[in-house]
Amino acid sequence: TYAGTGPAVINVEVDQYRLQGSRETAFIIKATGEEDFTVSIHQDGPVVPETPVAETAIIRSFAQNETKLHILPGFESKVTFPAVDWATLVKADPDTIVVKFKENATAAKRTAVVTVKTETGATLQNLTLEQSWRNVEAGELQIEEIFFGGTEVKNQFRADTALFRNDAADGDQYIKITNVSEEDLHIDGLLVAVSKGSSNKSLTGETELPVLDDAIGVRAVYAIPGTGNVLKAGESIIIAGSAANFTDTNFDSIVREGLNLFDTDFEFYNGGTDTDNQYVPNMVLWGDDAAGSFMLNEFGLESYAIAIAPKAVTAATFATAQAWTAVPGCFTIPNEWVLDGVNAGVKDDDETHEDPLAFNATIDKGYAQIADKWNNRFQIVGKSIARSGNDDSDDSAKDFAAGDPSLK
C-alpha cells in the first residue's frame, strides 16, 4: 500500500518461477478523483526443450570428493543419478549437482548418464559423466622447447679446440614442457620418450626400422617420479639431461659458456657414468637402450614425445608388454597414450629425401630443424628448437623454429 500525492514510481520485484506454465497476480491503484485501475502481472515459467539437452562432463581419473557440475538452469527439477560404484551424488541444488568420484585405475574411460526431469516428468537433460583413464588429455601439455645441441666449450690451453658441451659425458641439454590448458594438471607418471631412429635415414645411413602406424618406436622412456606433482596452468617444467652448472671453468681447463641447469625440476639419470645431482629429482627409468649415460642426439636426429600410460602400467610391466619385438632393447608406445610428439631432423638442401618420419604422421606430420646441412655442428651449437606460437598443428616443421635457448 502506498499513500501520497503527486507522481509515483512503483517497483515490483518478481521471484524466479521454475515451474511449467504461467502465473498471474494483480494490484489496484486508487487515485483521488480518479477511477481505480488494476495492474496485472503475468509470468511464464521456463520452456521445456523439444528434445532433451545432451551434454558431457569430462572428469579426470584421480579421486575427487566434491566436483560441482551444472545442470539445465531455471527449472524445478528432479535428478536421477545412475547406479554405479565409482560416482556418488553428494548434493543436488536447483542448478548444480555435487558428485564424488573414485579414482579410475582402469585402462579405459567409463561413463554414466545423469537424467534431469521436470516436476511433471518431462526429460530436460541427459548429462553424461565421462571419467578418463588419465589426468591429462592430449593438447593440454606441450613440448615447448628442446635444447639438444649443447653449447660450445673451449680448452684454455688449446686455442684451436672448440668442442660442444655434449661431446663430454654430460651436456647442457634439456626438454621444456608447458601446461597450455586453463587448469592445473596432475602430472604424476608423465612419460618422456626419445625415438629409436631418425627422420633422416637416407642421410645417416642407419638401418631402416619397421613403420609403425598405431604406435611410436622409442629407445628411451623416463617417468616423472612420485605423487602430488601439479603443474599450474601456463607454467612449465624443465627436465635436464644433467642437472649441473655448465657456466664455470673446472679443473680440466674447460671453459664452459653453457647454461646453469643446477636447479631444474627434474633430470634424466641412467646410472653408470651418468652424473647425479642429489638436489634434483631423477626421472624414473622405464627403459633405455643406452646404458650408463643419458644424452640427446646433438644434431637433433631424434624425435621426442610425452605420454601417459594407464594406471596399472609400471616400469616393470611396460618393459615387457611394450617391448618392440622387431627392435631388441627398444619399446613401443601406443598412439592413444601420446599427449604430444615432436619430430626433429636435418634437411640437406643438396638432396631430396622422402624418408619416413620417426614418429608417424598421426603424432607429427613434419619435423623441426636447426641445421640445413647434414653434420653441420656450427649451425647447431647453442641453439634450440622451440614453438613459434601457441597453435599446435601437429606439424613441427610449421610449429617450431630455431633460436637461442630460453634458459640462456
Side-chain angles (χ1 to χ4, degrees):
T1 300
Y2 170 81
T5 60
V9 176
I10 301 174
N11 296 315
V12 179
E13 183 176 313
V14 180
D15 292 336
Q16 183 179 20
Y17 188 45
R18 292 178 172 271
L19 301 177
Q20 297 176 69
S22 62
R23 61 183 178 180
E24 295 183 348
T25 189
F27 58 89
I28 299 173
I29 297 177
K30 295 177 179 291
T32 303
E34 301 288 343
E35 293 185 8
D36 296 348
F37 62 91
T38 301
V39 176
S40 298
I41 298 175
H42 177 95
Q43 185 181 28
D44 290 322
V47 177
V48 176
E50 292 184 6
T51 58
V53 175
E55 294 183 334
T56 300
I58 306 297
I59 311 299
R60 302 189 189 278
S61 68
F62 61 87
Q64 301 166 60
N65 287 327
E66 291 190 359
T67 299
K68 182 180 288 188
L69 302 172
H70 294 280
I71 58 176
L72 197 65
F75 290 89
E76 189 72 27
S77 57
K78 178 181 179 181
V79 173
T80 302
F81 201 81
V84 294
D85 62 358
W86 50 272
T88 305
L89 180 64
V90 177
K91 183 173 60 172
D93 292 325
D95 298 330
T96 61
I97 57 174
V98 178
V99 183
K100 178 179 181 179
F101 293 96
K102 294 181 179 179
E103 180 185 33
N104 184 0
T106 72
K109 68 180 180 182
R110 52 192 182 187
T111 61
V113 178
V114 176
T115 303
V116 182
K117 295 184 177 182
T118 67
E119 82 286 354
T120 59
T123 301
L124 295 169
Q125 180 184 23
N126 292 314
L127 175 62
T128 300
L129 307 178
E130 182 179 300
Q131 188 177 29
S132 177
W133 56 269
R134 58 188 177 186
N135 291 326
V136 182
E137 299 300 326
E140 294 184 322
L141 282 180
Q142 287 183 355
I143 299 174
E144 181 175 331
E145 181 185 11
I146 307 151
F147 183 58
F148 48 73
T151 50
E152 186 180 28
V153 298
K154 297 178 180 178
N155 188 303
Q156 290 182 358
F157 303 107
R158 292 188 59 186
D160 62 333
T161 301
L163 304 174
F164 297 143
R165 181 59 224 148
N166 52 9
D167 279 341
D170 298 288
D172 54 345
Q173 303 176 318
Y174 65 83
I175 296 175
K176 183 178 182 180
I177 300 168
T178 300
N179 177 358
V180 296
S181 78
E182 297 180 352
E183 298 181 36
D184 297 347
L185 298 177
H186 294 246
I187 59 171
D188 297 343
L190 178 72
L191 301 180
V192 181
V194 182
S195 70
K196 177 65 175 178
S198 75
S199 300
N200 301 103
K201 296 177 178 62
S202 56
L203 287 176
T204 62
E206 62 193 284
T207 302
E208 194 77 30
L209 299 175
V211 175
L212 301 175
D213 293 325
D214 57 357
I216 58 174
V218 297
R219 67 167 179 84
V221 183
Y222 291 77
I224 287 181
T227 58
N229 295 289
V230 176
L231 184 59
K232 293 185 177 300
E235 295 189 358
S236 304
I237 57 170
I238 302 292
I239 307 173
S242 180
N245 185 351
F246 294 96
T247 65
D248 299 331
T249 301
N250 67 2
F251 67 91
D252 59 5
S253 302
I254 296 294
V255 179
R256 295 184 174 93
E257 299 175 351
L259 307 177
N260 184 356
L261 302 180
F262 190 83
D263 294 321
T264 51
D265 299 287
F266 303 97
E267 72 171 339
F268 295 103
Y269 179 68
N270 192 11
T273 60
D274 222 352
T275 57
D276 184 15
N277 182 342
Q278 61 179 320
Y279 301 105
V280 174
N282 291 331
M283 296 287 285
V284 178
L285 174 64
W286 277 36
D288 195 330
D289 72 342
S293 181
F294 177 86
M295 283 179 55
L296 301 175
N297 182 277
E298 67 266 36
F299 297 107
L301 292 171
E302 291 175 320
S303 297
Y304 317 91
I306 52 176
I308 293 284
K311 187 75 174 180
V313 178
T314 65
T317 59
F318 173 86
T320 301
Q322 299 304 132
W324 195 356
T325 55
V327 186
C330 296
F331 315 92
T332 63
I333 295 177
N335 285 352
E336 57 265 28
W337 294 9
V338 178
L339 302 176
D340 190 27
V342 178
N343 286 316
V346 177
K347 181 180 179 181
D348 192 325
D349 288 341
D350 296 333
E351 300 286 347
T352 300
H353 302 292
E354 295 294 337
D355 294 325
L357 296 167
F359 290 164
N360 62 74
T362 301
I363 304 301
D364 192 6
K365 295 185 286 291
Y367 63 81
Q369 66 178 56
I370 293 178
D372 58 13
K373 295 291 184 182
W374 164 238
N375 211 23
N376 189 341
R377 290 191 169 191
F378 293 101
Q379 287 187 338
I380 296 171
V381 65
K383 300 294 183 182
S384 73
I385 54 172
R387 289 191 181 273
S388 53
N390 295 326
D391 293 335
D392 183 9
S393 67
D394 290 329
D395 185 347
S396 291
K398 299 177 180 178
D399 296 337
F400 282 79
D404 293 331
S406 62
L407 298 188
K408 189 172 182 179

